[in-house]
Amino acid sequence: MIKFLLKGVLGDKNRSVLPIIIISIGVALTVLLSGYIRGAMGDIINQNARFDTGHVKIMTRAYAENKSQIPNDLAFLGVDSLINELKTSHPNMIWVKRIRFGGIIDVPDDKGETKGQGPASGMAIELFNTNSGEIQRMNIPSSLVHGTLPKQVGEALIGQEFVDKLGLEIGDKVTYFGSTMNGSMAFKNFTITGSVRFGTPALDKGAIIIDISDAQTMLDMEDGAGEILGFESDEIYDDEKALELTEEFNARFVNNTNEFAPIMLRLKDQNNLAGYLDYVDVYSAMFVTIFVIVMSIVLWNTGLLGGLRRYQEFGIRLALGESKGHIYKTLIYEATLIGIIGSIVGTAMGLGGTYYLQVVGIDIGKYLENATMLMPSVIRAQVTPELFYIGFIPGLFAMVFGNMLSGIGIYKRQTAALFKELEV
Amino acid sequence: MSKNIITIEHVTKRFPVGDGVFTALSDINLELKEGEFAGLVGPSGSGKTTLLNIMGSLDSPTQGKAIVMGRNISDLSHKESAQLRNIHIGFIFQVFNLLPVYTVYENVEFALILQNIGSAERKRMVMEALEWVGLENMANKKPSKLSGGEGQRVAIARAMVKRPNIVLADEPTANLDAANAHAIIQTMKKLNQELNTTFLFSTHDEKVMGYLDRIIHLEDGKVALDKIVLPKTTAL
């Protein structure tokens, strides 16, 4: 019987090719959309984690309260001992120190006079400590537009926008002007070894990247850092783990009233990300759900039409002595087969599209020119394990459900009317 | 003596029509014996198809008993009715109603698949049925490639392949030209004689009537005339 039905399905394009095409398109769109939304979410989380928030971040309470002002006068001192302690108590985490700083970059001409100036948004990271993983974490090799990484103190990477705006070349010297941790004036000359573009407007504006040892000297922050960032060793953010870690860490200082006592914040607690992520979570879930429902209705309708189109065939089969229950069962078997084939084809198509968008992405840079949130200018999809089955919800279930509903008509069929119906 | 295949006892069939009731059959009594080649004739609305439905276990009477192959139709569940049709009753329709995606062979084979007959035995039975109707060389053709006469012969093979006790045919020649109509009726007559299968036609066609052994004339849901006749044995 199965072989017989299979022949029928393969022989009738309206029963096989057409539903498979519709299911495949629906499933492919579902997979692609899910992959894109998840990829975009992952990109935003990842970008924030790598460049700003870490999976967790430790600051002094005072620094944390005024974080937007980059208040280095409220930064940690004795940071190395705190990091050593963290490495001992949480060996599965990677701990790095960073200093953010603001100021002005001055570009001198041949005579030493100011040729150009611009506001600097500096970041000092553990560039020379290859074990820190900061170079890879911040994706600096791929972001390097010209030149090389700094190899020694007094060297800096500078944002490509700065390079373009101030007419800089690799090897040129620039002077940083700002204020030290203690409020006195800070200035230091740097040799530009390379230019970078991270693809995130909020980062690329006025970017200057130096080794943290340079910043500590320049800003009078010996053994100091504004922020200690913690990352899971697999670099994947796990909100539950982060919450557990922050609660445990902060509990140790709950009775400490010192404004320089450390406080740990998880990624979601920073940059208004909690609200944003929850918002995006809810809306993406709603969007995917609505899409899945719409596709289910379309595919259900396909199943209904298929059932109606075969009205005569079912009539003949009833007259030949096939029971209604058996016809109904075979209808569901066929729908399952078509649903599975369509879902597999659609999932493969959707995964192909998702992979393409994961590699190429969609450039939204022009919409982010004045954005302050750390968002990548190219939003990429992400191939995740759930994409391998999510398309089966509309593809298989909707097809089968549609046929189950349309098949109810078989039970309502009056065999007494068969002679009349089959005369047409 | 031939045994009774169908016994109709005081059968009445009523249908609700609007607020009223339409009586399609009224107190019908009939017996159909093994090997009969009979026809239900009468004007439209006389109850031919309704009676055919009841005899084919597609419908049940409002009153009275319809005994088909020893089973009272009114006592059968839907599944039992389907089983009765599957094993004992073959149907031939005015329109051939072949499944277009399957070949001639597969259309005929379907009735046997429903009976879970093994493939080797199915093949033998299908080819034999196609030989009966002279279409053994067209086994792999699709219905769309057949002429009207060929299509109806496939329908006969489909009805006969399972060796049913009764074949119910509703206006089987209505869509055929005279030559094909005679050929079809002769094929059925031959099968009736060789296999002793009971044939019951619902028909208006004079050509069919000429071959019948028995004519049951229905009028206003009642048997107006039930007569044994001397049938034709050769084509006109």
Side-chain angles (χ1 to χ4, degrees), chain B residues 156-202:
Chain B
I156 294 168
R158 181 177 64 186
M160 290 300 299
V161 69
K162 59 190 179 187
R163 304 282 188 101
N165 302 84
I166 318 147
V167 171
L168 301 175
D170 186 30
E171 304 279 5
T173 55
N175 285 336
L176 300 176
D177 58 40
N180 269 312
H182 283 296
I184 289 296
I185 295 296
Q186 283 167 10
T187 301
M188 289 195 270
K189 183 76 187 172
K190 187 182 80 174
L191 290 169
N192 162 251
Q193 286 167 348
E194 288 178 6
L195 304 172
N196 207 28
T197 305
T198 306
F199 278 77
L200 180 65
F201 299 85
S202 150

Short mmCIF file of all heavy atoms in Angstrom, two decimals, chain B residues 156-202:
data_model
loop_
_atom_site.label_atom_id
_atom_site.label_comp_id
_atom_site.label_asym_id
_atom_site.label_seq_id
_atom_site.Cartn_x
_atom_site.Cartn_y
_atom_site.Cartn_z
N ILE B 156 -14.22 -2.18 -15.88
CA ILE B 156 -14.79 -3.53 -15.72
C ILE B 156 -13.74 -4.46 -15.09
O ILE B 156 -14.02 -5.22 -14.16
CB ILE B 156 -15.29 -4.10 -17.07
CG1 ILE B 156 -16.47 -3.27 -17.58
CG2 ILE B 156 -15.69 -5.56 -16.94
CD1 ILE B 156 -16.84 -3.57 -19.03
N ALA B 157 -12.51 -4.37 -15.62
CA ALA B 157 -11.43 -5.21 -15.07
C ALA B 157 -11.22 -4.90 -13.60
O ALA B 157 -11.01 -5.80 -12.78
CB ALA B 157 -10.14 -4.96 -15.85
N ARG B 158 -11.29 -3.61 -13.23
CA ARG B 158 -11.11 -3.22 -11.83
C ARG B 158 -12.23 -3.82 -10.96
O ARG B 158 -12.00 -4.25 -9.84
CB ARG B 158 -11.11 -1.69 -11.71
CG ARG B 158 -10.91 -1.18 -10.30
CD ARG B 158 -10.83 0.33 -10.24
NE ARG B 158 -12.09 0.95 -10.67
CZ ARG B 158 -12.26 2.25 -10.83
NH1 ARG B 158 -11.25 3.08 -10.62
NH2 ARG B 158 -13.42 2.75 -11.21
N ALA B 159 -13.45 -3.77 -11.50
CA ALA B 159 -14.58 -4.30 -10.73
C ALA B 159 -14.50 -5.82 -10.61
O ALA B 159 -14.89 -6.40 -9.60
CB ALA B 159 -15.90 -3.89 -11.39
N MET B 160 -13.97 -6.48 -11.67
CA MET B 160 -14.00 -7.95 -11.72
C MET B 160 -12.77 -8.63 -11.14
O MET B 160 -12.81 -9.82 -10.84
CB MET B 160 -14.15 -8.39 -13.19
CG MET B 160 -15.50 -8.10 -13.81
SD MET B 160 -16.86 -8.92 -12.93
CE MET B 160 -16.41 -10.63 -13.14
N VAL B 161 -11.67 -7.88 -11.02
CA VAL B 161 -10.40 -8.52 -10.68
C VAL B 161 -10.45 -9.27 -9.35
O VAL B 161 -9.79 -10.29 -9.17
CB VAL B 161 -9.25 -7.46 -10.68
CG1 VAL B 161 -9.39 -6.49 -9.53
CG2 VAL B 161 -7.89 -8.14 -10.65
N LYS B 162 -11.26 -8.79 -8.43
CA LYS B 162 -11.31 -9.42 -7.11
C LYS B 162 -12.35 -10.56 -7.08
O LYS B 162 -12.62 -11.10 -6.02
CB LYS B 162 -11.60 -8.37 -6.04
CG LYS B 162 -12.89 -7.61 -6.24
CD LYS B 162 -12.98 -6.44 -5.28
CE LYS B 162 -14.27 -5.67 -5.50
NZ LYS B 162 -14.33 -4.45 -4.71
N ARG B 163 -12.87 -10.87 -8.25
CA ARG B 163 -13.89 -11.92 -8.39
C ARG B 163 -15.06 -11.70 -7.42
O ARG B 163 -15.36 -12.52 -6.55
CB ARG B 163 -13.31 -13.31 -8.11
CG ARG B 163 -12.12 -13.68 -8.96
CD ARG B 163 -12.62 -14.09 -10.35
NE ARG B 163 -11.55 -14.64 -11.15
CZ ARG B 163 -11.35 -15.93 -11.37
NH1 ARG B 163 -12.16 -16.81 -10.83
NH2 ARG B 163 -10.39 -16.34 -12.13
N PRO B 164 -15.74 -10.55 -7.57
CA PRO B 164 -16.83 -10.26 -6.64
C PRO B 164 -18.06 -11.14 -6.94
O PRO B 164 -18.17 -11.70 -8.04
CB PRO B 164 -17.14 -8.78 -6.93
CG PRO B 164 -16.81 -8.63 -8.37
CD PRO B 164 -15.64 -9.55 -8.64
N ASN B 165 -18.95 -11.23 -6.01
CA ASN B 165 -20.20 -11.96 -6.25
C ASN B 165 -21.18 -11.12 -7.05
O ASN B 165 -22.00 -11.65 -7.80
CB ASN B 165 -20.84 -12.36 -4.92
CG ASN B 165 -19.90 -13.22 -4.10
OD1 ASN B 165 -19.05 -12.70 -3.41
ND2 ASN B 165 -20.01 -14.54 -4.24
N ILE B 166 -21.11 -9.82 -6.83
CA ILE B 166 -22.07 -8.92 -7.50
C ILE B 166 -21.31 -7.77 -8.13
O ILE B 166 -20.37 -7.23 -7.52
CB ILE B 166 -23.02 -8.25 -6.47
CG1 ILE B 166 -23.48 -9.25 -5.43
CG2 ILE B 166 -24.18 -7.55 -7.16
CD1 ILE B 166 -23.69 -8.62 -4.08
N VAL B 167 -21.73 -7.36 -9.34
CA VAL B 167 -21.23 -6.12 -9.93
C VAL B 167 -22.43 -5.20 -10.12
O VAL B 167 -23.42 -5.59 -10.74
CB VAL B 167 -20.50 -6.37 -11.27
CG1 VAL B 167 -20.20 -5.04 -11.96
CG2 VAL B 167 -19.22 -7.14 -11.04
N LEU B 168 -22.32 -4.02 -9.56
CA LEU B 168 -23.39 -3.02 -9.70
C LEU B 168 -22.90 -1.97 -10.69
O LEU B 168 -21.84 -1.38 -10.46
CB LEU B 168 -23.71 -2.39 -8.35
CG LEU B 168 -24.17 -3.37 -7.26
CD1 LEU B 168 -24.34 -2.64 -5.93
CD2 LEU B 168 -25.48 -4.05 -7.65
N ALA B 169 -23.65 -1.78 -11.75
CA ALA B 169 -23.20 -0.85 -12.79
C ALA B 169 -24.26 0.22 -13.01
O ALA B 169 -25.42 -0.09 -13.30
CB ALA B 169 -22.94 -1.62 -14.09
N ASP B 170 -23.82 1.48 -12.82
CA ASP B 170 -24.76 2.60 -12.97
C ASP B 170 -24.55 3.23 -14.34
O ASP B 170 -23.55 3.89 -14.58
CB ASP B 170 -24.49 3.61 -11.84
CG ASP B 170 -25.52 4.73 -11.85
OD1 ASP B 170 -26.65 4.49 -12.26
OD2 ASP B 170 -25.16 5.85 -11.42
N GLU B 171 -25.49 3.00 -15.23
CA GLU B 171 -25.44 3.56 -16.59
C GLU B 171 -24.06 3.37 -17.23
O GLU B 171 -23.42 4.34 -17.65
CB GLU B 171 -25.78 5.07 -16.57
CG GLU B 171 -27.11 5.40 -15.94
CD GLU B 171 -28.30 5.20 -16.87
OE1 GLU B 171 -28.08 4.70 -17.99
OE2 GLU B 171 -29.42 5.52 -16.48
N PRO B 172 -23.58 2.14 -17.33
CA PRO B 172 -22.19 1.94 -17.78
C PRO B 172 -21.94 2.30 -19.23
O PRO B 172 -20.79 2.44 -19.64
CB PRO B 172 -21.97 0.44 -17.54
CG PRO B 172 -23.32 -0.17 -17.61
CD PRO B 172 -24.26 0.87 -17.07
N THR B 173 -23.02 2.43 -20.02
CA THR B 173 -22.82 2.71 -21.45
C THR B 173 -23.20 4.14 -21.80
O THR B 173 -23.17 4.52 -22.98
CB THR B 173 -23.66 1.75 -22.29
OG1 THR B 173 -25.03 1.85 -21.86
CG2 THR B 173 -23.19 0.31 -22.15
N ALA B 174 -23.55 4.92 -20.83
CA ALA B 174 -24.10 6.26 -21.10
C ALA B 174 -23.11 7.15 -21.84
O ALA B 174 -23.52 8.00 -22.62
CB ALA B 174 -24.51 6.93 -19.79
N ASN B 175 -21.81 6.95 -21.61
CA ASN B 175 -20.83 7.82 -22.26
C ASN B 175 -20.14 7.15 -23.45
O ASN B 175 -19.05 7.58 -23.84
CB ASN B 175 -19.76 8.23 -21.23
CG ASN B 175 -20.30 9.29 -20.29
OD1 ASN B 175 -21.24 10.01 -20.63
ND2 ASN B 175 -19.75 9.37 -19.10
N LEU B 176 -20.73 6.08 -23.95
CA LEU B 176 -20.07 5.35 -25.03
C LEU B 176 -20.90 5.39 -26.31
O LEU B 176 -22.13 5.50 -26.27
CB LEU B 176 -19.87 3.88 -24.61
CG LEU B 176 -19.03 3.64 -23.36
CD1 LEU B 176 -19.03 2.15 -23.02
CD2 LEU B 176 -17.60 4.13 -23.55
N ASP B 177 -20.20 5.27 -27.45
CA ASP B 177 -20.93 5.19 -28.71
C ASP B 177 -21.53 3.77 -28.83
O ASP B 177 -21.23 2.88 -28.03
CB ASP B 177 -20.01 5.52 -29.90
CG ASP B 177 -18.81 4.60 -29.95
OD1 ASP B 177 -18.96 3.40 -29.70
OD2 ASP B 177 -17.70 5.11 -30.22
N ALA B 178 -22.34 3.58 -29.84
CA ALA B 178 -23.09 2.31 -29.96
C ALA B 178 -22.18 1.10 -30.03
O ALA B 178 -22.38 0.10 -29.33
CB ALA B 178 -24.00 2.36 -31.18
N ALA B 179 -21.13 1.20 -30.85
CA ALA B 179 -20.24 0.06 -31.04
C ALA B 179 -19.56 -0.31 -29.72
O ALA B 179 -19.50 -1.49 -29.33
CB ALA B 179 -19.20 0.38 -32.10
N ASN B 180 -19.06 0.72 -29.03
CA ASN B 180 -18.39 0.47 -27.76
C ASN B 180 -19.36 -0.03 -26.71
O ASN B 180 -19.02 -0.90 -25.89
CB ASN B 180 -17.70 1.75 -27.26
CG ASN B 180 -16.27 1.83 -27.76
OD1 ASN B 180 -15.51 0.86 -27.66
ND2 ASN B 180 -15.91 2.98 -28.32
N ALA B 181 -20.59 0.50 -26.72
CA ALA B 181 -21.59 0.07 -25.75
C ALA B 181 -21.88 -1.42 -25.91
O ALA B 181 -21.89 -2.17 -24.92
CB ALA B 181 -22.88 0.88 -25.92
N HIS B 182 -22.04 -1.85 -27.16
CA HIS B 182 -22.29 -3.29 -27.39
C HIS B 182 -21.10 -4.12 -26.95
O HIS B 182 -21.25 -5.16 -26.29
CB HIS B 182 -22.58 -3.54 -28.89
CG HIS B 182 -23.97 -3.16 -29.28
ND1 HIS B 182 -25.08 -3.79 -28.77
CD2 HIS B 182 -24.45 -2.20 -30.12
CE1 HIS B 182 -26.18 -3.24 -29.28
NE2 HIS B 182 -25.81 -2.24 -30.10
N ALA B 183 -19.92 -3.64 -27.28
CA ALA B 183 -18.70 -4.39 -26.92
C ALA B 183 -18.58 -4.54 -25.40
O ALA B 183 -18.26 -5.62 -24.89
CB ALA B 183 -17.47 -3.69 -27.48
N ILE B 184 -18.88 -3.47 -24.71
CA ILE B 184 -18.78 -3.48 -23.24
C ILE B 184 -19.80 -4.45 -22.64
O ILE B 184 -19.47 -5.25 -21.77
CB ILE B 184 -19.02 -2.04 -22.69
CG1 ILE B 184 -17.84 -1.14 -23.02
CG2 ILE B 184 -19.30 -2.04 -21.18
CD1 ILE B 184 -16.54 -1.54 -22.39
N ILE B 185 -21.03 -4.35 -23.12
CA ILE B 185 -22.07 -5.23 -22.58
C ILE B 185 -21.75 -6.69 -22.88
O ILE B 185 -21.94 -7.58 -22.04
CB ILE B 185 -23.47 -4.86 -23.18
CG1 ILE B 185 -23.86 -3.45 -22.72
CG2 ILE B 185 -24.54 -5.86 -22.74
CD1 ILE B 185 -24.04 -3.32 -21.23
N GLN B 186 -21.22 -6.91 -24.09
CA GLN B 186 -20.86 -8.31 -24.43
C GLN B 186 -19.75 -8.82 -23.53
O GLN B 186 -19.76 -9.98 -23.10
CB GLN B 186 -20.45 -8.39 -25.90
CG GLN B 186 -21.65 -8.37 -26.83
CD GLN B 186 -21.28 -8.13 -28.28
OE1 GLN B 186 -20.10 -8.16 -28.66
NE2 GLN B 186 -22.27 -7.88 -29.11
N THR B 187 -18.80 -7.94 -23.21
CA THR B 187 -17.71 -8.34 -22.30
C THR B 187 -18.29 -8.72 -20.95
O THR B 187 -17.92 -9.76 -20.37
CB THR B 187 -16.71 -7.17 -22.14
OG1 THR B 187 -16.20 -6.83 -23.42
CG2 THR B 187 -15.56 -7.55 -21.21
N MET B 188 -19.22 -7.89 -20.46
CA MET B 188 -19.80 -8.17 -19.15
C MET B 188 -20.65 -9.44 -19.19
O MET B 188 -20.63 -10.24 -18.25
CB MET B 188 -20.62 -6.98 -18.66
CG MET B 188 -19.73 -5.80 -18.28
SD MET B 188 -20.55 -4.54 -17.31
CE MET B 188 -21.16 -3.49 -18.57
N LYS B 189 -21.34 -9.63 -20.28
CA LYS B 189 -22.18 -10.82 -20.42
C LYS B 189 -21.31 -12.08 -20.40
O LYS B 189 -21.64 -13.09 -19.77
CB LYS B 189 -22.96 -10.72 -21.74
CG LYS B 189 -23.93 -11.85 -21.98
CD LYS B 189 -25.16 -11.69 -21.13
CE LYS B 189 -26.06 -12.91 -21.25
NZ LYS B 189 -27.17 -12.88 -20.32
N LYS B 190 -20.16 -11.97 -21.10
CA LYS B 190 -19.24 -13.10 -21.17
C LYS B 190 -18.72 -13.44 -19.75
O LYS B 190 -18.68 -14.60 -19.34
CB LYS B 190 -18.07 -12.75 -22.10
CG LYS B 190 -17.13 -13.90 -22.39
CD LYS B 190 -15.98 -13.47 -23.27
CE LYS B 190 -14.94 -12.76 -22.44
NZ LYS B 190 -13.73 -12.40 -23.12
N LEU B 191 -18.36 -12.40 -19.02
CA LEU B 191 -17.84 -12.61 -17.66
C LEU B 191 -18.93 -13.19 -16.75
O LEU B 191 -18.66 -14.03 -15.90
CB LEU B 191 -17.31 -11.29 -17.07
CG LEU B 191 -16.03 -10.77 -17.72
CD1 LEU B 191 -15.75 -9.34 -17.28
CD2 LEU B 191 -14.86 -11.67 -17.40
N ASN B 192 -20.14 -12.71 -16.97
CA ASN B 192 -21.29 -13.20 -16.21
C ASN B 192 -21.47 -14.71 -16.42
O ASN B 192 -21.66 -15.48 -15.47
CB ASN B 192 -22.54 -12.42 -16.64
CG ASN B 192 -23.84 -13.10 -16.28
OD1 ASN B 192 -24.55 -13.61 -17.14
ND2 ASN B 192 -24.16 -13.09 -14.99
N GLN B 193 -21.29 -15.09 -17.66
CA GLN B 193 -21.49 -16.51 -17.98
C GLN B 193 -20.31 -17.37 -17.53
O GLN B 193 -20.48 -18.46 -17.00
CB GLN B 193 -21.73 -16.67 -19.49
CG GLN B 193 -23.12 -16.19 -19.88
CD GLN B 193 -23.30 -16.02 -21.38
OE1 GLN B 193 -22.34 -16.06 -22.15
NE2 GLN B 193 -24.54 -15.83 -21.81
N GLU B 194 -19.10 -16.85 -17.74
CA GLU B 194 -17.90 -17.64 -17.41
C GLU B 194 -17.65 -17.72 -15.91
O GLU B 194 -17.22 -18.75 -15.39
CB GLU B 194 -16.68 -17.05 -18.11
CG GLU B 194 -16.69 -17.30 -19.61
CD GLU B 194 -15.50 -16.66 -20.32
OE1 GLU B 194 -14.61 -16.13 -19.62
OE2 GLU B 194 -15.48 -16.70 -21.56
N LEU B 195 -17.88 -16.61 -15.22
CA LEU B 195 -17.53 -16.56 -13.79
C LEU B 195 -18.75 -16.66 -12.88
O LEU B 195 -18.62 -16.68 -11.66
CB LEU B 195 -16.77 -15.26 -13.47
CG LEU B 195 -15.50 -15.01 -14.30
CD1 LEU B 195 -14.96 -13.62 -14.03
CD2 LEU B 195 -14.44 -16.06 -14.01
N ASN B 196 -19.92 -16.69 -13.48
CA ASN B 196 -21.17 -16.76 -12.73
C ASN B 196 -21.35 -15.57 -11.77
O ASN B 196 -21.94 -15.70 -10.69
CB ASN B 196 -21.24 -18.09 -11.96
CG ASN B 196 -22.68 -18.51 -11.72
OD1 ASN B 196 -23.57 -18.16 -12.50
ND2 ASN B 196 -22.92 -19.24 -10.63
N THR B 197 -20.81 -14.45 -12.18
CA THR B 197 -20.96 -13.23 -11.35
C THR B 197 -22.32 -12.60 -11.64
O THR B 197 -22.76 -12.55 -12.79
CB THR B 197 -19.86 -12.21 -11.73
OG1 THR B 197 -18.60 -12.85 -11.61
CG2 THR B 197 -19.91 -10.98 -10.84
N THR B 198 -22.96 -12.13 -10.58
CA THR B 198 -24.25 -11.45 -10.74
C THR B 198 -24.01 -10.01 -11.19
O THR B 198 -23.18 -9.31 -10.60
CB THR B 198 -25.00 -11.43 -9.39
OG1 THR B 198 -25.08 -12.76 -8.92
CG2 THR B 198 -26.38 -10.82 -9.52
N PHE B 199 -24.71 -9.59 -12.23
CA PHE B 199 -24.61 -8.19 -12.70
C PHE B 199 -25.97 -7.53 -12.52
O PHE B 199 -26.98 -8.11 -12.88
CB PHE B 199 -24.22 -8.14 -14.18
CG PHE B 199 -22.74 -8.27 -14.43
CD1 PHE B 199 -22.12 -9.51 -14.35
CD2 PHE B 199 -21.97 -7.16 -14.73
CE1 PHE B 199 -20.76 -9.64 -14.59
CE2 PHE B 199 -20.61 -7.28 -14.97
CZ PHE B 199 -20.00 -8.52 -14.89
N LEU B 200 -25.94 -6.32 -11.95
CA LEU B 200 -27.17 -5.53 -11.87
C LEU B 200 -26.88 -4.14 -12.41
O LEU B 200 -25.99 -3.44 -11.91
CB LEU B 200 -27.67 -5.45 -10.42
CG LEU B 200 -28.96 -4.64 -10.24
CD1 LEU B 200 -30.15 -5.34 -10.95
CD2 LEU B 200 -29.30 -4.44 -8.77
N PHE B 201 -27.64 -3.78 -13.44
CA PHE B 201 -27.43 -2.47 -14.08
C PHE B 201 -28.55 -1.51 -13.70
O PHE B 201 -29.69 -1.93 -13.54
CB PHE B 201 -27.48 -2.62 -15.61
CG PHE B 201 -26.43 -3.52 -16.17
CD1 PHE B 201 -26.63 -4.89 -16.23
CD2 PHE B 201 -25.24 -3.01 -16.62
CE1 PHE B 201 -25.67 -5.72 -16.75
CE2 PHE B 201 -24.26 -3.84 -17.14
CZ PHE B 201 -24.47 -5.20 -17.21
N SER B 202 -28.18 -0.28 -13.61
CA SER B 202 -29.20 0.76 -13.61
C SER B 202 -29.07 1.41 -14.98
O SER B 202 -27.97 1.86 -15.34
CB SER B 202 -28.88 1.76 -12.49
OG SER B 202 -29.35 3.02 -12.83
#
